[in-house]
């Protein structure tokens, strides 16, 4: 059979509400042209994020009902710990309320002024948690990953030469840790190869630098390894994941992605002293080490989700459904990051809207237009998210101007995706008429969440 179907059926549904184009115009204005400020009830198809938005399975909901809410030593913690250990093979498993809480704890201990944390590409909260300690985050992505149109199998790879050069220039004593993001969310959801992970690990260990994984989308990454990397075609995704984690000294994880949970995360590691330091902080900010900011029911849902996500029927459907949208758009001429990522389709706003300069935020302008056209909510991953200012307050733009359409796991059907493609193609066909935006309010850190914008005026 050539058709890949959704490997589930629907037991419980939620209604969607359609707004008129006139209503959407008003809503967008009131939200200051920022999708984060649009009430969810006013969105038709919500592709803002794949984080915490998964549909949980019947088995997960059953787990929720049987969650053990004991303060210490809850049975659900032991289920959670065993499920995580089976995949990551590390002895110390520390639950947190989400990924960034794991980052905050890790970097509070590892970071600090004068230090550098290296990555293929740091996600925005990871970078913020590093910079909050006074340390600097450094992205050393391979050149292939910076060309949205280029087709290559592992565009999330770290550049080994850049890594070696950076260590030689800066001195390993100032680099406590290197963290590779799988898949590379901010770089288009592109996977990292096992070969690259091994090489990064070797370089790090040669210099006494800790090697971690930001493992939010580990299963999607491992599915790409199975399909694209020589030597892995006959290995299960679980085995591939176990190998991948075997090279790491530790990992941070947001269970809101590849564990199908609506909340949750964890830190895992080999080093007992570091684990003890992390737990000491955990008690202050998250909770006792056997629940770390989560209810027993959440731990249970994560434990079950981690088993479901390595199912290859699911992963085949998952990766294919993203590819399906990317193919439709590419066939219509829409510039899309190639090849399709694991959790999202990324539109190349710079290529689509060359008449809008980067300081008028072409990605954000495209996000606004997608909402106006069809009530579709995406997010800019470009200069609004990553731009900085120089001493004269001129914008230092991001590497790319992308719009991410992240697909929640097991939530939308093929006809929803067909509708999304239609909306994007309609916007593409009138792209010459789209105008830029300017910022009227912004915060110091993570400004994209709260910024106010308006249509640019000469
Ligand atoms: N690392 C990566 C690669 C992420 O994509 C995220 C979250 C985090 C860390 C932080 O995890 O949200 O549980 O605190 N990404 C979401 C997104 C928000 O939309 O991509 P968190």
């Amino acid at each position: 059979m050539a058709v890949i179907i959704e490997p589930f059926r629907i037991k419980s549904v939620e209604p969607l509400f359609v707004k008129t184009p006139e209503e959407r115009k008003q809503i967008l204005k009131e939200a200051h042209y920022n999708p984060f400020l649009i009430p969810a009830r006013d969105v038709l198809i919500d592709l803002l994020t794949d984080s915490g938005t998964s549909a949980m399975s019947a088995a997960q909901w059953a787990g929720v009902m049987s969650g053990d809410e004991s303060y210490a030593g809850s049975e659900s913690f032991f289920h959670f710990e065993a499920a995580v250990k089976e995949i990551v093979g590390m002895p110390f498993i520390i639950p947190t309320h989400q990924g960034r809480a794991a980052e905050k704890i890790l970097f509070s201990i590892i970071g600090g002024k004068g230090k550098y944390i290296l990555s293929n590409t740091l996600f925005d909260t990871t970078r913020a948690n590093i910079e909050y300690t006074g340390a600097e985050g450094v992205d050393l992505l391979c050149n292939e990953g910076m060309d949205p149109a280029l087709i290559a199998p592992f565009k999330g790879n770290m550049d080994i030469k850049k890594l070696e050069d950076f260590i030689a220039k800066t001195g390993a004593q100032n680099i406590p840790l290197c963290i590779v993001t799988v898949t590379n969310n901010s770089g288009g959801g592109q996977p990292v190869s096992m070969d690259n992970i091994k090489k990064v690990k070797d370089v790090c260990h040669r210099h006494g630098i800790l090697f971690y994984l930001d493992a939010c989308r580990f299963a999607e990454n491992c599915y790409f390894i199975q399909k694209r990397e020589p030597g892995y075609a006959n290995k299960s995704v679980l085995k591939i994941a176990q190998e991948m984690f075997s090279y790491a000294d530790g990992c941070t994880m947001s269970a809101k992605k590849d564990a199908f949970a609506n909340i949750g995360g964890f830190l895992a590691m080999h080093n007992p002293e570091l684990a003890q330091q992390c737990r000491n902080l955990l008690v202050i900010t998250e909770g006792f080490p056997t629940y770390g900011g989560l209810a027993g029911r959440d731990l249970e849902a994560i434990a079950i989700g981690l088993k479901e996500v390595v199912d290859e029927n699911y992963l085949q459907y998952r990766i294919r459904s993203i590819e399906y949208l990317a193919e439709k758009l590419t066939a219509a001429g829409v510039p899309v990051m190639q090849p399709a990522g694991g959790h999202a389709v990324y539109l190349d706003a710079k290529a689509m809207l060359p008449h809008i300069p980067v300081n008028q935020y072409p990605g954000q302008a495209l996000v606004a237009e997608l909402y106006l056209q069809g009530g579709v909510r995406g997010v800019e991953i470009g200069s609004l998210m990553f731009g900085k200012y120089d001493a004269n307050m001129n914008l230092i733009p991001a590497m790319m101007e992308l719009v991410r359409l992240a697909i929640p796991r097991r939530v939308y059907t093929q006809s929803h995706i067909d509708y999304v493609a239609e909306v994007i193609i309609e916007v593409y066909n009138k792209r010459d008429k789209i105008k830029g935006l300017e910022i009227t309010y912004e915060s110091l850190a993570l400004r994209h969440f709260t910024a106010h914008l308006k249509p640019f005026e000469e």
Side-chain angles (χ1 to χ4, degrees):
M1 294 296 284
V3 177
I4 295 166
I5 59 168
E6 287 88 354
F8 49 80
R9 56 185 177 171
I10 297 163
K11 175 180 315 215
S12 176
V13 297
E14 277 182 287
L16 293 173
F17 301 104
V18 185
K19 296 279 169 189
T20 65
E22 270 317 302
E23 285 170 326
R24 286 201 292 263
K25 211 168 165 177
Q26 188 57 28
I27 292 163
L28 187 66
K29 205 169 155 196
E30 283 168 16
H32 303 282
Y33 295 81
N34 184 341
F36 287 101
L37 304 180
I38 301 174
R41 65 171 177 271
D42 296 332
V43 175
L44 184 57
I45 306 285
D46 203 347
L47 309 182
L48 185 71
T49 179
D50 63 322
S51 179
T53 53
S54 297
M56 291 214 293
S57 65
Q60 282 181 295
W61 282 112
V64 164
M65 288 309 294
S66 63
D68 174 0
E69 303 304 342
S70 305
Y71 189 95
S74 140
E75 192 56 22
S76 298
F77 171 74
F78 295 113
H79 295 167
F80 164 85
E81 189 187 40
V84 176
K85 269 189 184 166
E86 185 185 10
I87 293 169
V88 308
M90 298 172 195
F92 301 104
I93 313 296
I94 301 171
T96 59
H97 80 273
Q98 58 184 84
R100 70 198 66 184
E103 294 162 6
K104 166 88 180 155
I105 289 171
L106 179 67
F107 293 118
S108 300
I109 297 163
I110 294 272
K113 223 174 154 40
K115 294 191 179 155
Y116 297 88
I117 308 291
L118 315 185
S119 182
N120 48 349
T121 313
L122 295 162
F123 183 64
D124 57 358
T125 61
T126 324
R127 176 175 288 282
N129 273 308
I130 290 166
E131 291 177 353
Y132 191 73
T133 71
E136 211 174 295
V138 182
D139 293 341
L140 302 170
L141 184 65
C142 66
N143 290 339
E144 289 172 341
M146 294 178 209
D147 178 355
L150 183 85
I151 296 187
F154 292 105
K155 289 169 76 175
N157 281 356
M158 203 160 173
D159 189 311
I160 303 296
K161 168 106 183 35
K162 287 185 204 165
L163 174 64
E164 302 255 29
D165 290 351
F166 190 89
I167 297 170
K169 189 181 76 191
T170 316
Q173 71 281 7
N174 299 317
I175 308 169
L177 183 136
C178 170
I179 184 162
V180 168
T181 313
V182 295
T183 57
N184 184 19
N185 184 9
S186 311
Q190 299 294 325
V192 181
S193 71
M194 194 73 87
D195 179 61
N196 190 252
I197 286 169
K198 270 194 261 184
K199 287 189 173 132
V200 174
K201 183 264 296 178
D202 286 343
V203 174
C204 288
H205 286 179
R206 209 173 337 115
H207 291 93
I209 297 168
L210 287 172
F211 172 60
Y212 269 54
L213 290 169
D214 175 340
C216 297
R217 300 177 180 85
F218 75 94
E220 290 166 6
N221 198 86
C222 291
Y223 184 78
F224 281 120
I225 290 177
Q226 190 194 58
K227 292 292 164 250
R228 294 181 184 171
E229 191 161 351
Y232 288 94
N234 297 321
K235 291 207 172 111
S236 71
V237 167
L238 177 61
K239 281 253 154 17
I240 296 170
Q242 287 165 336
E243 180 184 340
M244 180 174 81
F245 284 106
S246 77
Y247 301 123
D249 297 302
C251 68
T252 58
M253 168 82 185
S254 166
K256 300 172 74 172
K257 284 81 171 174
D258 266 355
F260 299 116
N262 300 127
I263 196 73
F266 57 84
L267 252 173
M269 61 191 67
H270 284 285
N271 182 319
E273 289 84 35
L274 184 57
Q276 193 50 48
Q277 280 177 288
C278 289
R279 282 183 175 144
N280 292 344
L281 279 187
L282 187 82
V283 178
I284 302 172
T285 60
E286 294 284 294
F288 189 72
T290 62
Y291 72 84
L294 293 170
R297 65 181 80 103
D298 302 320
L299 294 166
E300 208 63 60
I302 295 168
I304 297 163
L306 285 173
K307 291 195 177 16
E308 291 178 356
V309 77
V310 291
D311 170 27
E312 290 168 26
N313 278 331
Y314 158 73
L315 284 166
Q316 181 192 36
Y317 139 79
R318 169 74 176 158
I319 302 301
R320 178 60 201 145
S321 63
I322 314 283
E323 212 174 53
Y324 173 81
L325 175 57
E327 274 172 14
K328 276 201 150 191
L329 298 177
T330 307
V334 180
V336 169
M337 176 116 187
Q338 300 291 349
H343 66 296
V345 167
Y346 293 68
L347 307 178
D348 183 351
K350 209 188 264 182
M352 186 159 157
L353 305 171
H355 59 286
I356 302 182
V358 285
N359 62 2
Q360 291 173 29
Y361 304 103
Q364 191 75 359
L366 182 53
V367 166
E369 209 54 40
L370 293 174
Y371 178 73
L372 286 177
Q373 182 71 36
V376 174
R377 172 155 73 169
V379 67
E380 189 249 26
I381 301 208
S383 293
L384 183 65
M385 187 178 275
F386 291 120
K388 295 202 162 147
Y389 294 111
D390 67 14
N392 301 319
M393 288 305 282
N394 293 314
L395 179 76
I396 307 169
M399 221 157 43
M400 296 186 264
E401 304 294 335
L402 303 174
V403 168
R404 186 186 75 172
L405 304 167
I407 314 293
R409 294 170 182 76
R410 308 190 290 207
V411 169
Y412 292 116
T413 63
Q414 188 168 347
S415 69
H416 289 123
I417 299 297
D418 287 336
Y419 170 83
V420 169
E422 229 173 82
V423 169
I424 298 167
I425 292 165
E426 277 170 30
V427 167
Y428 177 68
N429 289 339
K430 59 178 187 193
R431 60 194 179 281
D432 299 344
K433 297 196 184 66
I434 301 174
K435 295 209 164 55
L437 298 169
E438 60 185 303
I439 295 175
T440 59
Y441 161 78
E442 61 188 298
S443 63
L444 281 176
L446 300 176
R447 64 176 180 171
H448 55 287
F449 288 130
T450 53
H452 292 181
L453 299 101
K454 67 177 177 63
F456 180 80
E457 282 161 32
E458 301 294 329

